Amino acid sequence: MPMNLTESRRQFLRQAGLGAAAAALAGPAAAATLAQPLSAAMQHDDKKKLGWAIVGLGKFATEQIMPNFKDCQHSKLVALVSGSPDKAKKLAREYGIEEKNLYNYQNFDTIRDNPAVDIVYIILPNALHAEYTVRAAQAGKHVLCEKPMATSEEDCQKMIDASKKAGKKLMIAYRCQYEPFNLNAIERIKKGELGKLKVITADHGRPVKPTEDKADTWRVVKKLAGGGSLMDIGIYSLNATRYLTGEEPVEITAQEHSDKSDPRFKEVEDTIVFTLRFPSGVLATCTSSYSYQEVKRGRAFGDKGWLDLDPLSDYNKHTMKIGTEEGKQEPQLKEGNQFAAEVDHMSECVMQNKTPRTPGEEGQRDVRYIMAIYEAAKKGKAVKV
Amino acid sequence: MPMNLTESRRQFLRQAGLGAAAAALAGPAAAATLAQPLSAAMQHDDKKKLGWAIVGLGKFATEQIMPNFKDCQHSKLVALVSGSPDKAKKLAREYGIEEKNLYNYQNFDTIRDNPAVDIVYIILPNALHAEYTVRAAQAGKHVLCEKPMATSEEDCQKMIDASKKAGKKLMIAYRCQYEPFNLNAIERIKKGELGKLKVITADHGRPVKPTEDKADTWRVVKKLAGGGSLMDIGIYSLNATRYLTGEEPVEITAQEHSDKSDPRFKEVEDTIVFTLRFPSGVLATCTSSYSYQEVKRGRAFGDKGWLDLDPLSDYNKHTMKIGTEEGKQEPQLKEGNQFAAEVDHMSECVMQNKTPRTPGEEGQRDVRYIMAIYEAAKKGKAVKV
């Protein structure tokens, strides 16, 4: 793993999060050694932002992720990786990115020699996540990877292993877990505002338009997407059941329907519904579809009340409604920049050598459950997970 | 079957709905005979309302059904059947019911000799529906029976058979199918306002309080209720999936959870979630619980939009919301008296010799699906129905 001085300083700064305790464990000599690089790092205080490379310049990257770096405290956009040099150059000019920091998929691995890049954000079709995460880790970079993490549990494991081997962080981009309304909902449920949690319902869907929208083309190709609506949007329903309960499911049932005469659904599923059982007894029902008009909602039912998020997983304009015996209320929460929060969380984890709140293992679990959902639908039986 | 003159006239009036066609088929002589009783019946024009007996004077009967007879065009309350003579007498005075028209469960069968009673409305604990429907039919009365129709499919069949044998109508009290918001939703879906229907979701629950509310005592006793929340309130979710799609399910999955340390759930289930597949490919997810605070909602998802009813199955204050690509709207529909509409529909069916919109067979289907839901939950497999 090549590492120049700047890189080693930055690395040290990140590990400094361990602080006095680590120093104490290592003895006075180690504590003395610790002092010096920290001072050196302080010289970079004006550059507290870590450098990010975006891999894949599709609609989501260019319209959601890149513009939101402006709100980041600890992250700055410094490199782009794309198969379209013209597009990359245009965006580089727009975002003030040096042309030497533009890569394509062939020379991507040389990013290892670029100390300006600390973290690589993979925003490629699902089936490519594994390859590029592994290559990024091997190039000595930390990785934030879009969800679904990969198209098989084995690929997820390869990604986790590669990052571990490289001593680098791996985080999966579950933006809802960095979004204020969702975080507030989790907090309220934990505090018992709904009483004992009983059921979660979540519905996610959108009309996939592979012929009209270039961003959708790969989504209906199994070898790129890995699956259909469940991989793409139903995963929000699935993940929400997990972070709202704070539990892992133990048993899954499912039913699927796709109109095979619709060319969009020759390879991937359209609509799939599933139910999950959690250890505490909480049950969940979820729906996922490529045929709905935009739907992104969820509800938690407790024995003292329910809490709605609708939308639950939009880019903005979330609403929360709560119903209890006393009536209904709509808490007025402040919308937050979930993209900036997510990206900054990763930077902070790198800086402070902490495990991200949504690490590779989190992504792997969803992929495991997704596979169980497909299996339950196919076999017509409840699948234990 | 004893029948005095008044009864025979009324009977004839009901059958007169067949009108000229029946007369023509029977030949001129029959047509001539037809004319006379019709004229006789006309003398009763001021009494166009059929006479109803309520069996079971619980909370639902006394607070919802009985007060709403005032809005009926074709139905009047003339008799009560109760195990509490004092309660019956008090209510009789309140509703102007003659004391000779009060029955108990022992002398119930003598109702056959009471020509004032045309239709008997069974509002007893679920497990008693079969016995009293059969006894009412054998007493020559038409029957409206609360849902769930019975606690086994076999009992449903006995009820259907008894009514057929007696030549009497049997209807199940699916009030939502007589409720304006639901009827409007069915109409909109049929007309294609949501495009091709994809998914139905429905959630129903309420906190069962057997020790605090006398009306709930029997609901947690298996031999009276037949089951838990699914029999009582989840049936609204189930039935809604059927009337909103206009289809019968073909495959069912389910998961159940009940805290067995809660004395309420020693015999019957608390929470049960289930999914249904319909022949057109529509899928449904439903939840049912005795732990929720009052929830009675449903949504239909089509490929052009969604339609919410929340509440879907309340006694009043329904709301409808529709979301399409063009935005959201909230159609302002007129609330209607679903109880009066339901009761009058039955009277009209009797008067016009028509099959009720929700006949015994409709109730039997739900009981069949309920049993399949229990089976799917128990066996952890999709059950074909």
Side-chain angles (χ1 to χ4, degrees), chain B residues 247-286:
Chain B
E247 294 185 74
E248 297 302 326
V250 291
E251 191 193 51
I252 293 171
T253 83
Q255 286 183 315
E256 182 256 340
H257 178 75
S258 310
D259 177 359
K260 289 296 175 192
S261 74
D262 185 328
R264 296 176 300 165
F265 308 123
K266 286 227 179 304
E267 300 188 6
V268 302
E269 84 279 359
D270 174 12
T271 304
I272 189 157
V273 302
F274 51 100
T275 74
L276 309 158
R277 177 193 302 284
F278 291 88
S280 67
V282 171
L283 300 173
T285 65
C286 299

Side-chain angles (χ1 to χ4, degrees), chain A residues 198-199 201 251 253 255-257 270 275-277 281 291-293 297 299 301 303-304 325 380 382, chain B residues 198-199 201 251 253 255-257 270 275-277 281 283 291-293 297 299 301 303-304 325 380 382:
Chain A
K198 291 290 172 177
V199 165
T201 62
E251 190 193 52
T253 82
Q255 288 183 315
E256 182 254 342
H257 178 75
D270 174 13
T275 74
L276 309 159
R277 177 194 302 284
S291 290
Y292 297 166
Q293 294 299 315
R297 67 165 190 168
R299 177 181 280 199
F301 299 79
D303 62 4
K304 298 269 178 280
E325 221 178 352
Chain B
K198 290 289 171 181
V199 165
T201 63
E251 191 193 51
T253 83
Q255 286 183 315
E256 182 256 340
H257 178 75
D270 174 12
T275 74
L276 309 158
R277 177 193 302 284
L283 300 173
S291 289
Y292 297 167
Q293 294 299 314
R297 67 166 191 168
R299 178 181 279 199
F301 299 79
D303 61 3
K304 298 269 177 280
E325 221 177 352

Side-chain angles (χ1 to χ4, degrees), chain A residues 35 72 78 96 109 128 141 168 186 243 247 256 347 365:
Chain A
C72 288
V78 297
D109 308 275
L128 304 176
K141 304 301 178 189
K168 299 294 164 184
I186 293 169
Y243 61 73
E247 295 184 72
E256 182 254 342
S347 289
R365 278 183 215 113

Side-chain angles (χ1 to χ4, degrees), chain A residues 218-261:
Chain A
W218 64 267
R219 292 181 204 275
V220 298
V221 179
K222 176 117 194 237
K223 70 172 196 283
L224 287 173
S229 74
L230 177 58
M231 282 273 185
D232 187 41
I233 183 130
I235 192 171
Y236 288 95
S237 289
L238 170 62
N239 199 249
T241 67
R242 296 176 48 230
Y243 61 73
L244 291 174
T245 58
E247 295 184 72
E248 297 302 326
V250 290
E251 190 193 52
I252 293 171
T253 82
Q255 288 183 315
E256 182 254 342
H257 178 75
S258 310
D259 177 359
K260 289 295 173 192
S261 74

